[in-house]
Amino acid sequence: MEYPEHTMAAYDAALTSGVRAIEVSVNVTAEGIPVCIHDQNLDRTTNATGPVSDWVYPSLINSVTVQPKQILGNGWAPQPLPNLRDVLDRFLGKVVIFLEPKSNEAAPIVQSILQTYYPTANQSVVWKAYYKSPTFATMKARGFTTWGYVDDATTDADLTTYGPNIGMWGVPHTMAPTRIQEIVNRPDKKKVICWEVHRRSQRDTLAGLGVWGMMCAQYKWVSYAKQILKKDNWVTQVKAPGDMGRTQYVGTRDLKYDGTGWAFMDVAGDAVLIGSCSLPEFPTNGYRITFEMKFDGTVPTNEHAGIAFGKADDSTYQFGASNPAGGYHMAFRGNGDMQIFSHTAGVTNGTQLATAATAAPVAGQVMSFQVDVTPASVKITRTDVTPNITVTSTNATYRGGYLHLTGGSVSSLANRPRWRKLTVNAL
């Protein structure tokens, strides 16, 4: 979700970011050549379809590439599928490698490669598989640390039965917190690693449950504790760490770019976290957000879009839904009304705090806005009109710095909002 998954570009970036471990997933071609790709099928991440095992290696390596543009932006070029041997040659001994064959055919091939060509691999490779995998006994006997991941159906009896060959447990981030804590607190006291972690708010919750390690699909974002950018870099058409939609891996809800600096969404009424420009801590005197916005079409008078801000963490936001954290949203309507709403965690509907009438938006017309959040007030100003028009609320409930672009209630993509020239600075 920050680099094209299971590519040399991703593995290299992980090391330069300071990770302690990388995950390497392996499937094999028709003649048994191991390549690094998570899925047994090529459909999700590449320009091809069907099983990896239907391809011979020369055809695969010359015809198939990882296609990151839908998720990471059009600024990314296609990336080749790495050969496992190339990955091991480059990274073995430099970082811990969690290595997982993703099919029954791949497992013995990978085991043989490790035993034949990399006799010291057990010093830095962790053998990773579903906890019931029959491969664990062999790899433990060869001196490898083993990591078995479980699911919601895994019982305590299962953990006891399969535990002797497993050194660490893996739990999914979707597992109930009470169950995660039960596995953490088992009498065997094995280390627990949670996969996959996308948000700082997830990280903090899991740390509180006693999870020892986290497998992060957005490592730079999760591990970094400061504001990354003070202004957007959407003109590059490359997703910045911390910018993310409400779902991962399919690209539908990720931010899109038109190449001229405008960012938009392909789902009506959705929202995208702009973590890269967000402030993890509230500055002493507050902060200022500036941005431009336009609508592609003529928006119905009561529909609106804008930004959500003031959130204390990076959890998801969606207008008209129950959200994990409270904050504010700016609603700019088709009739020109500019409004400040508060939204309480766990409550579906927002509360209007203040409103002001401005000129109605015109399709394609660029508008500019300034949002000031100080200890005493929240103030929104439309700056493309003369005189400028301001709406103010003295509500001081939320003073977080996490920011979302939100399509609000705009119901048609023909009228979709677009944003550019976003800046966030301390006052």
Side-chain angles (χ1 to χ4, degrees):
M1 295 298 297
E2 290 178 343
Y3 288 83
E5 66 174 76
H6 293 292
T7 63
M8 283 296 192
Y11 300 145
D12 281 332
L15 264 68
T16 58
S17 298
V19 304
R20 299 180 64 183
I22 60 175
E23 178 197 47
V24 176
S25 297
V26 181
N27 284 282
V28 293
T29 62
E31 74 274 47
I33 305 296
V35 293
C36 300
I37 180 172
H38 179 275
D39 300 358
Q40 293 185 42
N41 288 327
L42 297 165
D43 304 51
R44 180 175 64 87
T45 61
T46 79
N47 60 334
T49 59
V52 175
S53 58
D54 282 356
W55 290 70
V56 294
Y57 184 72
S59 296
L60 183 78
I61 209 67
N62 284 291
S63 303
V64 178
T65 54
V66 176
Q67 302 287 316
K69 292 183 178 182
Q70 187 183 28
I71 292 175
L72 301 179
N74 287 333
W76 270 100
Q79 302 291 313
L81 291 173
N83 183 298
L84 174 62
R85 292 288 306 276
D86 292 339
V87 172
L88 292 175
D89 288 345
R90 183 182 298 191
F91 298 110
L92 189 66
K94 297 179 181 179
V95 66
V96 174
I97 298 174
F98 280 67
L99 183 59
E100 182 182 12
K102 302 298 288 191
S103 68
N104 293 333
E105 295 78 16
I109 292 171
V110 174
Q111 288 174 317
S112 176
I113 286 173
L114 292 175
Q115 191 170 32
T116 303
Y117 300 104
Y118 304 97
T120 62
N122 59 11
Q123 297 177 24
S124 59
V125 169
V126 175
W127 188 258
K128 174 179 178 284
Y130 185 57
Y131 77 102
K132 291 183 177 181
S133 171
T135 62
F136 282 125
T138 297
M139 299 310 285
K140 182 182 179 184
R142 292 180 182 176
F144 285 84
T145 299
T146 54
W147 187 72
Y149 54 89
V150 303
D151 52 36
D152 289 341
T154 306
T155 65
D156 288 338
D158 290 330
L159 297 174
T160 299
T161 298
Y162 294 95
N165 289 319
I166 295 175
M168 296 181 288
W169 295 118
V171 297
H173 73 276
T174 53
M175 181 175 279
T178 53
R179 183 57 178 153
I180 292 177
Q181 201 155 44
E182 287 173 357
I183 296 175
V184 167
N185 293 332
R186 280 179 57 81
D188 57 23
K189 294 297 181 184
K190 292 180 179 177
K191 292 179 172 65
V192 175
I193 296 176
C194 184
W195 92 93
E196 72 279 350
V197 180
H198 289 274
R199 299 177 185 269
R200 294 169 177 173
S201 50
Q202 283 181 298
R203 172 199 67 194
D204 297 342
T205 297
L206 291 165
L209 295 174
V211 167
W212 175 74
M214 301 182 203
M215 189 171 289
C216 299
Q218 308 203 59
Y219 176 82
K220 287 189 176 183
W221 170 247
V222 172
S223 62
Y224 197 65
K226 300 178 181 179
Q227 183 182 18
I228 297 172
L229 298 172
K230 292 186 177 180
K231 60 181 180 180
D232 73 73
N233 61 2
W234 298 331
V235 71
T236 68
Q237 301 189 78
V238 173
K239 184 181 92 71
D243 295 357
M244 67 186 95
R246 294 186 294 113
T247 59
Q248 283 76 43
Y249 305 122
V250 294
T252 304
R253 300 185 186 277
D254 289 300
L255 202 63
K256 308 301 177 188
Y257 317 95
D258 74 350
T260 68
W262 289 101
F264 60 95
M265 294 168 235
D266 272 344
V267 179
D270 211 353
V272 171
L273 171 72
I274 308 299
S276 59
C277 293
S278 294
L279 293 159
E281 296 182 2
F282 186 71
T284 302
N285 297 318
Y287 59 90
R288 172 172 291 170
I289 305 166
T290 62
F291 63 96
E292 292 182 351
M293 188 172 77
K294 68 178 180 180
F295 294 101
D296 283 356
T298 302
V299 181
T301 58
N302 200 42
E303 291 187 355
H304 64 79
I307 64 170
F309 59 98
K311 286 167 56 66
D313 64 36
D314 66 346
S315 57
T316 57
Y317 170 80
Q318 185 181 15
F319 170 74
S322 173
N323 297 292
Y328 303 102
H329 65 260
M330 167 209 165
F332 188 79
R333 298 188 182 274
N335 64 359
D337 285 352
M338 185 170 62
Q339 300 167 323
I340 303 172
F341 282 79
S342 66
H343 53 92
T344 304
V347 177
T348 300
N349 296 322
T351 301
Q352 182 177 306
L353 301 177
T355 184
T358 78
V362 176
Q365 178 189 62
V366 178
M367 302 172 290
S368 57
F369 300 91
Q370 176 179 298
V371 180
D372 290 329
V373 184
T374 69
S377 68
V378 176
K379 181 171 66 174
I380 300 174
T381 304
R382 182 173 174 182
T383 56
D384 64 291
V385 294
T386 303
N388 294 172
I389 297 176
T390 296
V391 58
T392 302
S393 171
T394 57
N395 183 287
T397 305
Y398 305 107
R399 287 300 180 269
Y402 286 95
L403 165 71
H404 293 73
L405 307 181
T406 170
S409 64
V410 174
S411 58
S412 171
L413 288 178
N415 302 326
R416 82 177 93 206
R418 297 175 187 259
W419 298 262
R420 72 175 180 185
K421 296 183 180 180
L422 175 73
T423 69
V424 182
N425 290 287
L427 291 171

